[in-house]
Amino acid sequence: MRADARIAWSLARGSDRREWWRIALTAVGALLATVFALAAITVAAVRGQVSIPFGNGLLNQPGERAGVVVALLLLLVPVLGLLGQCARIGAVHRDRRMAVLRLAGASPAQVRRISALESAPACLAGSAGGLGAVAVALAVQGHTPPATAWVAFVVVVLGVPVAGALVSVLALRRVVASPLGEVRRVRPERGSRALLVLAVAALPIAVGAYALVVRGSSPAAASFPMLVFGLVFLTGGGAVWAAGASAAHLGRRLTESASPAVMIAAGRLRDDPWAAARTHAALLLVTVVGIAFVGVREVVLADLRGKGVHRAADLAFYTNGIDLAGVAILVALAISLFGLAVGTAESLATRRRGLAAQAAAGVPHTVLARATLLETALPLAPAVLLATVGGMAVHLAYTAVAAPGTAPSMLPLLVPVAVYGACLLAAATSLPLLRRMAHPAELRFA
């Protein structure tokens, strides 16, 4: 391990401009993860009933603070997805280094460890920056956390680089570099793990539905959160599977299309159908949560107005908490969209020699640009549709329990449309890079 660390440090110091982009993105992801984790620790360290001038007393009671802590911790999911995208960028840009290491006798597992250890210094720099930002914010507010919170701060700052390295290993677990420099992704053998995951997700749904329908429990009971988390997990996982399965199906069906852009996009989807699932995983989960949140928000606000809560101070307490949850979802969506843009750019950089060959053969730039957008749009459409079904299921379940007889709101249906459009815009941000990657000069790297 010590020799692997020395090699990783030497490779990081000799990085070129593309590698420094990867290091910078990794540091940003580590900074975000550190800030969210330290903020959660700071809120959790507050004990008892206090008076904090934030969100109309949202942090005054222990129950509300627990919800804020959970929301901050859930924001780590898209950040870890972003770190995984950054790890894949590093692996692709270093394929020749992998080949040299393989020729020198390194095993594929050792190459993956070296690639993961290259992310550790960047993660450490990002976590240190996150600690500095949180410390400055606490000093400005005049709040001093207890000693146990500072111990947890140190654990987080040191643990984020370890987590970044583990995410890199997980992202690269099926990548194998041959001694001749070819990078390929080994597909796992099919097994029964998918059925096990579905069974685990279906268990809380069954328990929650039984308790709500048969026992007549209230929404505040523990059965309703089990039902919601089960639905979100099941539909989120199903949407990720739909992205990969639809990419494989469309890749096989559309390779003989009359449109050149569709043919090129279908060929890419056929070669690596699960790349879309990896890139869209966190995004689809955020979509399910966002649709459910908009629906539940409409029901809660209608219920508050129906109970006669019209005073601005009283209503602001509830609306501020709900709106802050919405802000957290928007932050998670922004991070997921950024990860999508990074994944699209990584895909273009991976295929730069093929893109240059197509451009040199006379394929117009507009055709390559449309193919790049179609590569995102085609597998994402059925996945977003399934995510919409899951989010609306949560909305309908909450409406049936909290406000029986009330017509469900159709406002959540605008969320998947907005998310789909935002995904296409995020993929379009890589089009300036496409012009450079498709330049015939890239053929010299072949």
Side-chain angles (χ1 to χ4, degrees):
M1 182 63 70
R2 184 178 300 176
D4 295 344
R6 286 199 301 266
I7 295 174
W9 175 247
S10 299
L11 293 177
R13 286 189 302 173
S15 301
D16 56 9
R17 184 175 63 180
R18 292 174 178 173
E19 287 296 297
W20 284 114
W21 274 107
R22 190 262 314 172
I23 293 173
L25 291 174
T26 302
V28 169
L31 187 146
L32 293 175
T34 304
V35 169
F36 293 148
L38 296 186
I41 293 173
T42 303
V43 175
V46 180
R47 292 287 182 263
Q49 183 174 354
V50 295
S51 178
I52 299 177
F54 178 79
N56 291 87
L58 183 64
L59 301 179
N60 292 347
Q61 300 294 332
E64 286 81 8
R65 290 198 299 269
V68 173
V69 171
V70 172
L72 290 171
L73 294 178
L74 288 178
L75 287 175
L76 295 176
V77 176
V79 173
L80 293 177
L82 175 61
L83 289 176
Q85 294 293 342
C86 296
R88 293 188 185 96
I89 290 177
V92 172
H93 284 308
R94 289 165 290 172
D95 55 353
R96 286 173 177 78
R97 297 182 186 179
M98 290 183 177
V100 172
L101 293 174
R102 293 284 283 115
L103 286 172
S107 64
Q110 188 176 8
V111 170
R112 288 193 290 269
R113 285 198 303 270
I114 293 173
S115 299
L117 288 173
E118 282 189 82
S119 303
C123 290
L124 183 59
S127 62
L131 176 62
V134 172
V136 170
L138 292 176
V140 170
Q141 296 294 327
H143 177 69
T144 302
T148 54
W150 285 105
V151 173
F153 283 5
V154 174
V155 172
V156 169
V157 171
L158 298 179
V160 166
V162 177
L166 292 177
V167 170
S168 299
V169 171
L170 182 65
L172 304 174
R173 69 190 184 280
R174 306 194 194 284
V175 174
V176 176
S178 69
L180 298 180
E182 179 186 358
V183 177
R184 60 188 178 88
R185 185 172 292 272
V186 179
R187 297 180 180 178
E189 296 180 359
R190 297 182 180 271
S192 59
R193 286 182 296 179
L195 296 177
L196 178 62
V197 170
L198 291 176
V200 172
L203 181 61
I205 296 178
V207 173
Y210 175 79
L212 288 173
V213 177
V214 179
R215 297 296 184 184
S217 301
S218 64
S223 56
F224 190 77
M226 291 178 62
L227 177 64
V228 170
F229 279 109
L231 284 173
V232 170
F233 182 80
L234 183 62
T235 54
V240 173
W241 172 84
S246 62
H249 178 74
L250 293 174
R252 292 191 300 266
R253 294 289 184 179
L254 299 179
T255 50
E256 298 180 358
S257 173
S259 173
V262 175
M263 290 177 61
I264 295 173
R268 295 172 186 172
L269 295 176
R270 180 191 58 192
D271 293 338
D272 191 2
W274 293 101
R278 294 190 299 269
T279 305
H280 303 155
L283 183 64
L284 293 172
L285 184 60
V286 172
T287 303
V288 176
V289 175
I291 295 170
F293 168 78
V294 173
V296 171
R297 181 181 184 275
E298 292 297 309
V299 175
V300 171
L301 293 180
D303 184 61
L304 290 175
R305 297 187 184 99
K307 290 180 179 179
V309 182
H310 295 294
R311 286 200 314 162
D314 296 336
L315 190 60
F317 173 78
Y318 296 101
T319 56
N320 284 336
I322 296 173
D323 292 342
L324 284 175
V327 170
I329 295 175
L330 289 177
V331 171
L333 178 62
I335 297 173
S336 301
L337 290 174
F338 185 63
L340 173 62
V342 171
T344 306
E346 178 262 343
S347 178
L348 294 179
T350 304
R351 303 190 307 265
R352 63 186 185 275
R353 292 190 290 270
L355 292 171
Q358 290 174 338
V363 179
H365 176 76
T366 55
V367 173
L368 295 178
R370 285 198 297 270
T372 301
L373 295 179
L374 286 172
E375 190 179 354
T376 298
L378 290 176
L380 189 61
V384 170
L385 180 61
L386 185 56
T388 303
V389 173
M392 288 300 294
V394 175
H395 169 41
L396 295 176
Y398 187 85
T399 303
V401 174
T406 304
S409 174
M410 294 294 104
L411 186 62
L413 294 178
L414 297 178
V415 175
V417 178
V419 170
Y420 191 77
C423 291
L424 295 183
L425 290 177
T429 58
S430 64
L431 295 183
L433 180 64
L434 172 64
R435 187 173 296 276
R436 189 174 65 182
M437 292 294 103
H439 196 276
E442 293 291 335
L443 290 173
R444 69 181 184 271
F445 294 109

